[in-house]
Amino acid sequence: MQSHFGLQGVPPLNCPHSGASAPRSPGGALIPWSDPQAEQFWQQVLVQVLTGAAAVEEGNFQQAKDLVSDALLHITNQLASNPEAGFACSLGVAAAYRVLASAFFRDAGLAGHRTALRRARQIALRFQHVANVWVTHVWEKFARREEPVTGMAHYDVGYIDNSAWPISIQDINVEMTIVQRDLAAGGLPMGHLPRWPDVPHDFRDKRLNLGIVSLCAYREGHVLPRYAISNHELYAKRHGYRYHVGREIVDKSRPPAWGKVKLMYQALEEPDVDWWLWFDCDTFFMNMTITLDSLLYKYGASKASGEMYARHGAGAVNLDPKFHLLVAEDHAMLNTGAFFLRSSSWSLDMLRQVWGPDDSTWVKHPWWENAAILWNFLKDNSEKFRNEDQLALFPDDLGASGEAQDDMEGIYPQEVRLAPQGEFNSY
């Protein structure tokens, strides 16, 4: 794991981010100069992260986890929902998460233990997703260079790759691809194991009231809302689902994508709908026969639902009462272009936390609410898994019951279940 040196042989810290190190960048225009005391603080953080990276190279994986996890507590306001301190050097935070991921997926002591190794890779992949959130911020806010006269823009890759921090754009993408490839090679689905794998694709639980929410706030005359709304309405009508679509920007104080948080909150306050599907306006139902019910039951059913259904019919199966959200990931991270949310106090609290204060540091993140949701779901994992012994927890491929162990349990909050992207929101 290497540091990348600039042309003068001395790698720049580039932290805290400012116009001094990132001229003509969108973020640098707001912060012309950096504070020398802050530079000293981030220099100390750099030493700790580099020491962690060296520990990974030496095979001291627990030492690396402790060093980097301690650093993350200091630079993210104790893993706060609104980690203001970290955005002063999102490059450093991204590098810390990259090193932490390496401490999990490079642990040679897990070789030959398929399930334990897979568990470590599942944890590592989500640290890589968090690293992506932070590196995307520095990429768009400080590596981007805008020409004032022409309005043209380009990206200074060297702002990241040639910095003192142990990260590069290629590093993070190659390593994430390796972990994803290794997980896929095991033949198991990406995400949680299905609870009811063979649920009929057109299964409908008449006890459940389901709805679909979307936001199509495009300029007048744009073709997308017409096609999307038609598709959504046809699907909702076919299965008896409620359908709400917003046509105006919901909150002009934030980028339009944040409107999904408010629209979903409003939908959850309707007392007669049990589950809502958020569906981005540029998302279409391609197979009209697959029901929302079947997806919810496939990944969120109470155990033994398949057996109960075979014996007693649809009225005998239920969803796990602890299950509140179903979502998928794409190649980069969690993708909230489509997700299911139960009408519950947990869901309302989650949306309030994601929305945060009016001056939330997530408001103008390049991935908007998507980044805030991922951070709130995964931010505590550096502490949660700091001392986890994968060999002790996953000694065999099968658990005591003889069933395959779900190596995703606990990586997201227990209320959240992850489906493979091919189930919905695929592209």
Side-chain angles (χ1 to χ4, degrees), residues 97-122:
Y97 275 108
R98 182 212 167 202
V99 173
L100 187 57
S102 298
F104 281 84
F105 78 79
R106 293 181 60 181
D107 189 345
L110 300 177
H113 302 275
R114 188 179 71 168
T115 308
L117 182 59
R118 183 178 169 88
R119 169 68 169 187
R121 286 170 174 162
Q122 295 280 28

mmCIF file of all heavy atoms in Angstrom, residues 97-122:
data_model
loop_
_atom_site.group_PDB
_atom_site.id
_atom_site.type_symbol
_atom_site.label_atom_id
_atom_site.label_comp_id
_atom_site.label_asym_id
_atom_site.label_seq_id
_atom_site.Cartn_x
_atom_site.Cartn_y
_atom_site.Cartn_z
ATOM 1 N N TYR A 97 -10.663 4.754 5.509
ATOM 2 C CA TYR A 97 -11.585 3.646 5.246
ATOM 3 C C TYR A 97 -10.985 2.656 4.258
ATOM 4 O O TYR A 97 -11.237 1.450 4.345
ATOM 5 C CB TYR A 97 -12.928 4.176 4.759
ATOM 6 C CG TYR A 97 -13.846 4.549 5.902
ATOM 7 C CD1 TYR A 97 -14.123 5.880 6.197
ATOM 8 C CD2 TYR A 97 -14.424 3.573 6.700
ATOM 9 C CE1 TYR A 97 -14.953 6.221 7.262
ATOM 10 C CE2 TYR A 97 -15.250 3.903 7.754
ATOM 11 C CZ TYR A 97 -15.509 5.220 8.039
ATOM 12 O OH TYR A 97 -16.314 5.545 9.094
ATOM 13 N N ARG A 98 -10.194 3.131 3.326
ATOM 14 C CA ARG A 98 -9.538 2.194 2.402
ATOM 15 C C ARG A 98 -8.578 1.274 3.159
ATOM 16 O O ARG A 98 -8.550 0.052 2.935
ATOM 17 C CB ARG A 98 -8.785 2.978 1.332
ATOM 18 C CG ARG A 98 -8.123 2.044 0.328
ATOM 19 C CD ARG A 98 -6.831 2.591 -0.224
ATOM 20 N NE ARG A 98 -6.112 1.524 -0.932
ATOM 21 C CZ ARG A 98 -4.816 1.539 -1.171
ATOM 22 N NH1 ARG A 98 -4.075 2.552 -0.776
ATOM 23 N NH2 ARG A 98 -4.239 0.538 -1.795
ATOM 24 N N VAL A 99 -7.802 1.846 4.067
ATOM 25 C CA VAL A 99 -6.867 1.040 4.859
ATOM 26 C C VAL A 99 -7.633 0.053 5.745
ATOM 27 O O VAL A 99 -7.255 -1.117 5.874
ATOM 28 C CB VAL A 99 -5.959 1.945 5.708
ATOM 29 C CG1 VAL A 99 -5.108 1.112 6.666
ATOM 30 C CG2 VAL A 99 -5.060 2.796 4.811
ATOM 31 N N LEU A 100 -8.719 0.519 6.364
ATOM 32 C CA LEU A 100 -9.502 -0.354 7.233
ATOM 33 C C LEU A 100 -10.080 -1.532 6.446
ATOM 34 O O LEU A 100 -10.068 -2.676 6.923
ATOM 35 C CB LEU A 100 -10.619 0.450 7.893
ATOM 36 C CG LEU A 100 -11.437 -0.274 8.970
ATOM 37 C CD1 LEU A 100 -10.538 -0.801 10.083
ATOM 38 C CD2 LEU A 100 -12.492 0.663 9.539
ATOM 39 N N ALA A 101 -10.571 -1.275 5.242
ATOM 40 C CA ALA A 101 -11.071 -2.365 4.399
ATOM 41 C C ALA A 101 -9.969 -3.379 4.120
ATOM 42 O O ALA A 101 -10.191 -4.598 4.170
ATOM 43 C CB ALA A 101 -11.626 -1.803 3.094
ATOM 44 N N SER A 102 -8.769 -2.890 3.856
ATOM 45 C CA SER A 102 -7.644 -3.789 3.560
ATOM 46 C C SER A 102 -7.307 -4.678 4.742
ATOM 47 O O SER A 102 -6.920 -5.840 4.573
ATOM 48 C CB SER A 102 -6.412 -2.970 3.163
ATOM 49 O OG SER A 102 -6.649 -2.218 1.992
ATOM 50 N N ALA A 103 -7.467 -4.150 5.948
ATOM 51 C CA ALA A 103 -7.164 -4.934 7.145
ATOM 52 C C ALA A 103 -8.107 -6.121 7.286
ATOM 53 O O ALA A 103 -7.777 -7.104 7.966
ATOM 54 C CB ALA A 103 -7.250 -4.048 8.386
ATOM 55 N N PHE A 104 -9.257 -6.062 6.633
ATOM 56 C CA PHE A 104 -10.201 -7.177 6.673
ATOM 57 C C PHE A 104 -10.001 -8.126 5.489
ATOM 58 O O PHE A 104 -9.865 -9.335 5.670
ATOM 59 C CB PHE A 104 -11.644 -6.657 6.693
ATOM 60 C CG PHE A 104 -12.089 -6.184 8.046
ATOM 61 C CD1 PHE A 104 -11.803 -4.899 8.479
ATOM 62 C CD2 PHE A 104 -12.783 -7.035 8.905
ATOM 63 C CE1 PHE A 104 -12.203 -4.459 9.739
ATOM 64 C CE2 PHE A 104 -13.185 -6.621 10.160
ATOM 65 C CZ PHE A 104 -12.893 -5.320 10.581
ATOM 66 N N PHE A 105 -9.955 -7.601 4.267
ATOM 67 C CA PHE A 105 -9.947 -8.535 3.136
ATOM 68 C C PHE A 105 -8.575 -9.130 2.849
ATOM 69 O O PHE A 105 -8.467 -10.125 2.122
ATOM 70 C CB PHE A 105 -10.545 -7.891 1.870
ATOM 71 C CG PHE A 105 -9.662 -6.954 1.106
ATOM 72 C CD1 PHE A 105 -8.669 -7.416 0.247
ATOM 73 C CD2 PHE A 105 -9.840 -5.588 1.196
ATOM 74 C CE1 PHE A 105 -7.876 -6.545 -0.485
ATOM 75 C CE2 PHE A 105 -9.061 -4.699 0.466
ATOM 76 C CZ PHE A 105 -8.074 -5.185 -0.367
ATOM 77 N N ARG A 106 -7.516 -8.587 3.469
ATOM 78 C CA ARG A 106 -6.181 -9.147 3.227
ATOM 79 C C ARG A 106 -5.711 -10.072 4.347
ATOM 80 O O ARG A 106 -4.560 -10.515 4.334
ATOM 81 C CB ARG A 106 -5.181 -8.007 3.032
ATOM 82 C CG ARG A 106 -5.418 -7.206 1.769
ATOM 83 C CD ARG A 106 -4.393 -6.098 1.596
ATOM 84 N NE ARG A 106 -3.038 -6.602 1.506
ATOM 85 C CZ ARG A 106 -1.965 -5.819 1.365
ATOM 86 N NH1 ARG A 106 -2.109 -4.499 1.291
ATOM 87 N NH2 ARG A 106 -0.760 -6.341 1.298
ATOM 88 N N ASP A 107 -6.573 -10.374 5.292
ATOM 89 C CA ASP A 107 -6.185 -11.211 6.431
ATOM 90 C C ASP A 107 -5.924 -12.645 5.977
ATOM 91 O O ASP A 107 -6.845 -13.432 5.750
ATOM 92 C CB ASP A 107 -7.291 -11.182 7.487
ATOM 93 C CG ASP A 107 -6.872 -11.837 8.789
ATOM 94 O OD1 ASP A 107 -5.858 -12.562 8.794
ATOM 95 O OD2 ASP A 107 -7.555 -11.625 9.815
ATOM 96 N N ALA A 108 -4.657 -13.002 5.868
ATOM 97 C CA ALA A 108 -4.271 -14.328 5.379
ATOM 98 C C ALA A 108 -4.635 -15.437 6.366
ATOM 99 O O ALA A 108 -4.718 -16.610 5.989
ATOM 100 C CB ALA A 108 -2.767 -14.361 5.104
ATOM 101 N N GLY A 109 -4.882 -15.084 7.614
ATOM 102 C CA GLY A 109 -5.235 -16.084 8.605
ATOM 103 C C GLY A 109 -6.591 -16.726 8.363
ATOM 104 O O GLY A 109 -6.916 -17.751 8.967
ATOM 105 N N LEU A 110 -7.383 -16.133 7.475
ATOM 106 C CA LEU A 110 -8.704 -16.668 7.169
ATOM 107 C C LEU A 110 -8.697 -17.594 5.950
ATOM 108 O O LEU A 110 -9.728 -18.159 5.610
ATOM 109 C CB LEU A 110 -9.690 -15.516 6.925
ATOM 110 C CG LEU A 110 -9.894 -14.552 8.097
ATOM 111 C CD1 LEU A 110 -10.822 -13.418 7.698
ATOM 112 C CD2 LEU A 110 -10.433 -15.291 9.308
ATOM 113 N N ALA A 111 -7.556 -17.731 5.327
ATOM 114 C CA ALA A 111 -7.466 -18.583 4.130
ATOM 115 C C ALA A 111 -7.868 -20.016 4.478
ATOM 116 O O ALA A 111 -7.480 -20.564 5.508
ATOM 117 C CB ALA A 111 -6.044 -18.555 3.576
ATOM 118 N N GLY A 112 -8.677 -20.606 3.622
ATOM 119 C CA GLY A 112 -9.135 -21.964 3.840
ATOM 120 C C GLY A 112 -10.407 -22.072 4.661
ATOM 121 O O GLY A 112 -10.954 -23.159 4.817
ATOM 122 N N HIS A 113 -10.861 -20.948 5.192
ATOM 123 C CA HIS A 113 -12.104 -20.913 5.973
ATOM 124 C C HIS A 113 -13.121 -20.090 5.177
ATOM 125 O O HIS A 113 -13.209 -18.871 5.327
ATOM 126 C CB HIS A 113 -11.857 -20.313 7.347
ATOM 127 C CG HIS A 113 -10.827 -21.042 8.142
ATOM 128 N ND1 HIS A 113 -11.122 -22.157 8.908
ATOM 129 C CD2 HIS A 113 -9.484 -20.838 8.270
ATOM 130 C CE1 HIS A 113 -10.017 -22.595 9.490
ATOM 131 N NE2 HIS A 113 -9.008 -21.813 9.125
ATOM 132 N N ARG A 114 -13.855 -20.765 4.321
ATOM 133 C CA ARG A 114 -14.645 -20.072 3.303
ATOM 134 C C ARG A 114 -15.634 -19.074 3.891
ATOM 135 O O ARG A 114 -15.694 -17.928 3.447
ATOM 136 C CB ARG A 114 -15.396 -21.095 2.442
ATOM 137 C CG ARG A 114 -16.076 -20.455 1.236
ATOM 138 C CD ARG A 114 -16.789 -21.478 0.386
ATOM 139 N NE ARG A 114 -17.985 -21.990 1.045
ATOM 140 C CZ ARG A 114 -18.914 -22.717 0.420
ATOM 141 N NH1 ARG A 114 -18.748 -23.044 -0.850
ATOM 142 N NH2 ARG A 114 -19.968 -23.142 1.062
ATOM 143 N N THR A 115 -16.406 -19.476 4.889
ATOM 144 C CA THR A 115 -17.438 -18.589 5.405
ATOM 145 C C THR A 115 -16.837 -17.445 6.199
ATOM 146 O O THR A 115 -17.279 -16.295 6.097
ATOM 147 C CB THR A 115 -18.440 -19.372 6.276
ATOM 148 O OG1 THR A 115 -18.919 -20.497 5.533
ATOM 149 C CG2 THR A 115 -19.618 -18.503 6.658
ATOM 150 N N ALA A 116 -15.824 -17.714 7.007
ATOM 151 C CA ALA A 116 -15.163 -16.653 7.774
ATOM 152 C C ALA A 116 -14.514 -15.643 6.838
ATOM 153 O O ALA A 116 -14.581 -14.422 7.074
ATOM 154 C CB ALA A 116 -14.134 -17.260 8.715
ATOM 155 N N LEU A 117 -13.886 -16.142 5.780
ATOM 156 C CA LEU A 117 -13.257 -15.246 4.811
ATOM 157 C C LEU A 117 -14.306 -14.413 4.083
ATOM 158 O O LEU A 117 -14.121 -13.206 3.863
ATOM 159 C CB LEU A 117 -12.442 -16.065 3.806
ATOM 160 C CG LEU A 117 -11.681 -15.283 2.734
ATOM 161 C CD1 LEU A 117 -10.697 -14.312 3.363
ATOM 162 C CD2 LEU A 117 -10.952 -16.241 1.785
ATOM 163 N N ARG A 118 -15.410 -15.049 3.734
ATOM 164 C CA ARG A 118 -16.479 -14.311 3.068
ATOM 165 C C ARG A 118 -17.046 -13.235 3.994
ATOM 166 O O ARG A 118 -17.338 -12.125 3.549
ATOM 167 C CB ARG A 118 -17.580 -15.292 2.633
ATOM 168 C CG ARG A 118 -18.707 -14.638 1.858
ATOM 169 C CD ARG A 118 -19.742 -15.647 1.407
ATOM 170 N NE ARG A 118 -20.926 -14.972 0.893
ATOM 171 C CZ ARG A 118 -21.078 -14.586 -0.360
ATOM 172 N NH1 ARG A 118 -20.115 -14.819 -1.251
ATOM 173 N NH2 ARG A 118 -22.183 -13.969 -0.743
ATOM 174 N N ARG A 119 -17.197 -13.555 5.270
ATOM 175 C CA ARG A 119 -17.674 -12.568 6.230
ATOM 176 C C ARG A 119 -16.734 -11.361 6.267
ATOM 177 O O ARG A 119 -17.180 -10.206 6.231
ATOM 178 C CB ARG A 119 -17.756 -13.212 7.617
ATOM 179 C CG ARG A 119 -17.988 -12.242 8.777
ATOM 180 C CD ARG A 119 -19.360 -11.623 8.726
ATOM 181 N NE ARG A 119 -19.670 -10.912 9.967
ATOM 182 C CZ ARG A 119 -20.843 -10.390 10.259
ATOM 183 N NH1 ARG A 119 -21.834 -10.478 9.392
ATOM 184 N NH2 ARG A 119 -21.050 -9.775 11.401
ATOM 185 N N ALA A 120 -15.431 -11.596 6.336
ATOM 186 C CA ALA A 120 -14.465 -10.497 6.368
ATOM 187 C C ALA A 120 -14.553 -9.652 5.100
ATOM 188 O O ALA A 120 -14.449 -8.421 5.147
ATOM 189 C CB ALA A 120 -13.047 -11.049 6.539
ATOM 190 N N ARG A 121 -14.780 -10.300 3.979
ATOM 191 C CA ARG A 121 -14.888 -9.552 2.718
ATOM 192 C C ARG A 121 -16.182 -8.740 2.660
ATOM 193 O O ARG A 121 -16.211 -7.642 2.090
ATOM 194 C CB ARG A 121 -14.807 -10.520 1.538
ATOM 195 C CG ARG A 121 -13.391 -11.040 1.303
ATOM 196 C CD ARG A 121 -13.361 -12.179 0.307
ATOM 197 N NE ARG A 121 -11.987 -12.564 -0.018
ATOM 198 C CZ ARG A 121 -11.654 -13.708 -0.579
ATOM 199 N NH1 ARG A 121 -12.602 -14.600 -0.869
ATOM 200 N NH2 ARG A 121 -10.391 -14.000 -0.839
ATOM 201 N N GLN A 122 -17.256 -9.282 3.244
ATOM 202 C CA GLN A 122 -18.506 -8.520 3.291
ATOM 203 C C GLN A 122 -18.306 -7.231 4.097
ATOM 204 O O GLN A 122 -18.771 -6.152 3.704
ATOM 205 C CB GLN A 122 -19.626 -9.360 3.929
ATOM 206 C CG GLN A 122 -20.031 -10.598 3.140
ATOM 207 C CD GLN A 122 -20.977 -10.289 1.988
ATOM 208 O OE1 GLN A 122 -20.976 -9.194 1.426
ATOM 209 N NE2 GLN A 122 -21.794 -11.265 1.624
#
